[in-house]
């Protein structure tokens, strides 16, 4: 997969261990997200997320990527191809830098990603948000994600599963 097809506006590349500090700086400023989705982020939790896979998936299917505007990391995404089925891509995590939020950049990134995934044959993008997180719910609704009716509970919160038809 050529990552330049993910965005015409931003440079996109896979994140490496050496990027953890910059990812941490981006994530730790998004305090509301971690109020709904505890525990708070640490460098160790980021390293764990970089390696985490859903059942029956391989590292080849996983794109833990950063979006750069010039030198600045402006967004991080964890994308799993062909999960939970062959025609669906799964966003496990998406976060933009607080400094650029509410300017349409997050929606632009998702729109470009949807076009790219459609072009290569995917029919759906799926994801989950923590029930009650107003920022996440508003953002995904605005970006045409619709609840599937599936929810699941963790010890600390409920996840609402939603998808967008491509
Ligand atoms: C959700 C997120 C990715 C949006 O990124 P962004 O670059 O700000 O995206 P956009 O500018 O395209 O859209 C932001 C929208 O959220 C809305 N929003 C921001 N804060 C909000 C809040 N506290 N409550 C409700 N809506 C909120 C904005 O008003 C805007 O919607 P509008 O255009 O209808 O006014 C970003 O806020 C983020 O990284 N949040 C923390 C991580 C997160 O929640 N990720 C998704 C979890 S599943």
């Amino acid at each position: 997969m050529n990552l330049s097809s993910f965005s015409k506006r931003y440079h996109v590349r896979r994140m490496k261990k050496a990027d953890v500090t910059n990812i941490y700086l981006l994530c730790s400023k998004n305090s509301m997200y971690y109020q709904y989705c505890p525990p708070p982020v640490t460098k160790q939790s980021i390293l764990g997320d970089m390696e985490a896979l859903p059942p029956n998936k391989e590292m080849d299917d996983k794109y833990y990527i950063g979006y750069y505007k010039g030198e600045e990391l402006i967004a991080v995404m964890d994308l799993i191809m062909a999960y939970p089925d062959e025609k669906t891509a799964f966003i496990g995590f998406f976060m933009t830098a607080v400094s650029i939020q509410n300017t349409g950049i997050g929606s632009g990134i998702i729109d470009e990603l949807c076009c790219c995934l459609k072009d290569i044959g995917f029919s759906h993008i799926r994801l989950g948000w923590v029930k009650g997180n107003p920022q996440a719910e508003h953002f995904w609704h605005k970006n045409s994600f619709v609840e599937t009716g599936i929810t699941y509970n963790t010890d600390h919160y409920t996840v609402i599963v939603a998808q967008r038809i491509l």
Side-chain angles (χ1 to χ4, degrees):
M1 182 91 214
N2 182 357
L3 292 185
S4 63
S5 56
F6 280 15
S7 178
K8 293 185 179 66
R9 292 174 205 158
Y10 308 108
H11 176 60
V12 182
R13 67 166 176 83
R14 282 187 194 265
M15 299 278 86
K16 312 180 290 280
K17 281 188 181 166
D19 298 310
V20 163
T21 298
N22 280 334
I23 299 169
Y24 176 77
L25 288 172
L26 183 152
C27 292
S28 56
K29 296 193 180 85
N30 275 287
S31 50
M32 187 165 94
Y33 175 83
Y34 298 100
Q35 282 164 25
Y36 287 94
C37 193
V41 65
T42 61
K43 289 183 186 176
Q44 206 53 45
S45 71
I46 294 167
L47 287 169
D49 290 347
M50 281 177 159
E51 305 280 315
L53 284 170
N56 304 319
K57 296 307 294 181
E58 307 286 334
M59 269 327 232
D60 283 352
D61 301 313
K62 178 174 169 103
Y63 292 81
Y64 193 97
I65 53 180
Y67 286 75
Y68 286 82
K69 187 177 176 190
E71 296 291 302
E72 189 192 359
L73 178 66
I74 54 151
V76 178
M77 182 186 290
D78 187 4
L79 180 69
I80 308 287
M81 298 297 193
Y83 182 79
D85 60 56
E86 281 304 308
K87 293 271 180 190
T88 302
F90 188 86
I91 297 176
F93 181 72
F94 178 57
M95 187 173 273
T96 56
V98 166
S99 56
I100 55 86
Q101 278 175 17
N102 304 320
T103 61
I105 288 177
S107 298
I109 287 173
I110 297 301
D111 268 340
E112 286 196 299
L113 179 72
C114 288
C115 286
C116 166
L117 293 173
K118 187 177 180 177
D119 283 351
I120 58 173
F122 284 95
S123 62
H124 293 83
I125 302 197
R126 184 175 277 228
L127 50 78
W129 67 75
V130 172
K131 186 175 180 181
N133 179 340
Q135 189 181 51
E137 183 184 283
H138 182 95
F139 176 74
W140 294 120
H141 279 160
K142 174 187 162 186
N143 282 284
S144 307
F145 283 78
V146 176
E147 286 86 340
T148 57
I150 301 166
T151 63
Y152 61 90
N153 295 316
T154 72
D155 287 346
H156 298 290
Y157 51 83
T158 298
V159 176
I160 297 185
V161 179
Q163 64 183 10
R164 170 166 162 175
I165 299 172
L166 298 176

